Amino acid sequence: MVALHGPATVEQLREEIQGVRYREATTTFCRLVTEEGQPIKSAIKEAIASAAPYVQVPAHIMRLPTGEMRGVNYDHTILGWRGAISLMREFEGARGILPSVQAMWYVPQGLNIWEQIICEFPGHYARDGEQCNRKFPGPDDDVNRFDGPAWTAPKIYFEDHDPIEGGSVEDRLTRLTWAIAEGNREESYGLFLGLARDPANREQLKNAVLFSGIVDLQDTIINRGGYQNIGHKALRARALVDIADYLGWDNSHELMYTVVPDLGCAPRLHGLWTEINNLCKMELPGYAAIPKRTEAPLSENELDMLTEVLLWGGPYQVNDTIMGLFKRGAGILDITDAVMACFQRYLIDVLEHPFAFLHPTHAIDYMNVVQSWIRNHDHPHQVKAAFMAARFMNDTIRSNAMYPRDPNYTLEPRQNYRGWADEIAVDRLLPVLKQYTLAQDAPRACALVDSYLDRTDERQALLETITYAACHWQNDPHVMRNCASSLEEWRHNRTPRRDDIIRGYVKHQSRYVKRAPTHDCYEVFKEHFRPNDGSER
Amino acid sequence: MSEATKLGELWSIRNAAANTLILSEAQMRQAVREATVDQLVTLIEMYSPARSTGTEWTRTFEPLVERLWAWCEDDTMAALADVFKARGMPWMAVANSFMPEHGARIRASLRQPAWARMPAFVIA
């Protein structure tokens, strides 16, 4: 490839990110790797570092002049990177870089969220959600100035801090979790930096921040407007842990600056956590000793009952059902695996409107954080996380069900296309699946997956096909994050219904609302990395 | 209790519930036919997420829409569509439920078996 504009540099990448020139930044990112020989890990670190000072907000709730409150979105740049890093190993060759290019494409669009929602800075919130160009148009009717570039420098709402050291590790970890819960961002960040310096502390530190993120979760999103976090504190904590392990903890200062201060940002929501604490205190006094897995996982009948309660029951029925399963001797992962599998019936059978996937799939991603925490760490409160994740899932269903269904978005039943799918030879089915996933034809894509699952035990190529097709869509880090969650959960799930995770996954990726109708980012990726993905034909 | 007796009693209970439902459907049909457009609008407004008593209530919207298409004249349905269409995006799902294309689909799907007193409505 010919370098038309001189060598690509990290300084150039930084300027383009901070100037909200996402197309140029993505090209520079690709050129750093393909022309300058920069390792992808190093390019990702530089991109994270360039965005780090500009992803904090004063609060995730904004007081309006009327005295009312509105929600302020959470940073998604780091969530895109976490998904991209996880997906790298899913594809052979250059295709594994596509999710990273998508994450890069999003980063310049996701800075300075506070200014974006008041239409004082460009990016995807200002351009899409807030429709700022309609409210404050520029001189050229054909140009949406909120697509970038920036006309002002992004603001820094939280300055970098020095590490806080001194005191025992146990004391500092306790202070850290309290500082996060109380909203003392300076102290929590400083303590984290101090503790992270010593490799011996890092496993405990991961455990502590995951716990802090998981317990901060709204009790309901029904009619709450922005007074919720839809699991974002937990999602951030998981991103920190995964990306630090990938970059190396000694190479992750900017990552920590990106994530840790926001864990204590307002509002902090511990109502559900308090409820589940009370419940366990009264009904499960031995909760800390409950094993992770037992020889008594859920029966088919119990899976049916759990599905019924998650999809159609109320919050206290969910509490009662989970409590009943613990009391009869099920282990934590026996139950959380079952919750993850049973919840898929909502995606598979019920969800239709493309906008209605947003909250339920956040609940899946939250559950993925809970599951990975339980799988990889020990903590006396892990039983309670099973209740919280199930409640979150049920709440998103109930929240969607507060709105009458729109008959204009009714989906044809997938069964209508089963005969058609069965006539396609198994070894020719996956390219067809890719085609219908890219066409966002959920009934056909789902029928193809049903047919494939019934006719072969092969799964890796199936998952790769869905995931690679999903990663063609730009401007949305949710895609990579949900891909990573779904793949990880399918691999670990031990219920007889784990393939339902694939059925729910393909429905989501072939129906969820897209933020852009074009694949410009994929084209940039293709130009620079020349993946062997059949797109040349 | 023998299994046969238990089945018989369960079937009697089910039939009694069906009779109660049929009588209440008949009362509802009469009330809907006598209602003005304004009165129907007031009923439908109870499906606002801000007023709904919960998801169990909201899930009864589609059964109601089915009955309105079965029991109301076309001009009443058109008036309802106009009212909710004018309220913009938040009421779009409701307005779309009163569009003639949707009504045609519902009316085509309702069947009245020879042995039944009512069409096979959605119950819940």
Side-chain angles (χ1 to χ4, degrees), chain A residues 222-223 310-314 317 346 352 355 397-410, chain B residues 47-56 58-59 61-62 90 92-94 96-99 101-102 105:
Chain A
I222 295 174
N223 286 334
L310 283 172
L311 267 62
W312 308 110
Q317 287 170 288
Y346 181 62
E352 291 185 317
F355 288 108
I397 295 173
R398 294 176 63 78
S399 172
N400 277 347
M402 291 295 284
Y403 295 83
R405 284 172 65 237
D406 190 331
N408 284 10
Y409 289 89
T410 301
Chain B
Y47 287 92
S48 157
R51 290 188 52 201
S52 170
T53 53
T55 54
E56 291 73 16
T58 308
R59 284 174 182 141
F61 180 69
E62 284 169 79
M92 199 51 70
V94 172
N96 288 339
S97 300
F98 300 133
M99 293 300 174
E101 316 81 67
H102 187 55
R105 277 196 299 271

Side-chain angles (χ1 to χ4, degrees), chain A residues 109-121:
Chain A
Q109 303 181 55
L111 307 182
N112 242 16
I113 296 169
W114 187 273
E115 268 60 43
Q116 283 201 48
I117 65 172
I118 56 174
C119 298
E120 291 186 358
F121 196 79

Side-chain angles (χ1 to χ4, degrees), chain A residues 32-68:
Chain A
L32 278 170
V33 177
T34 57
E35 295 173 17
E36 308 304 327
Q38 182 107 315
I40 184 84
K41 185 181 287 191
S42 160
I44 290 173
K45 181 205 177 316
E46 294 300 344
I48 291 172
S50 300
Y54 312 110
V55 297
Q56 305 296 332
V57 292
H60 291 288
I61 202 90
M62 180 188 285
R63 203 180 123 86
L64 301 173
T66 58
E68 295 172 319

Side-chain angles (χ1 to χ4, degrees), chain A residues 185-199:
Chain A
R185 293 195 279 177
E186 291 77 8
E187 186 181 18
S188 62
Y189 180 49
L191 285 165
F192 187 96
L193 291 177
L195 284 159
R197 280 185 165 176
D198 184 349

Side-chain angles (χ1 to χ4, degrees), chain A residues 2-3 25 29 139 144 154 159 199 222 243 257 259 303 308 347 354 404 453 504 510 523 528 534 537:
Chain A
V2 180
F29 179 84
N144 185 335
E159 296 288 347
I222 295 174
I243 302 173
Y257 181 28
V259 173
L303 290 171
E308 178 72 17
L347 276 76
L453 291 171
S510 60
E523 294 300 328
H528 289 87
R537 288 194 291 272

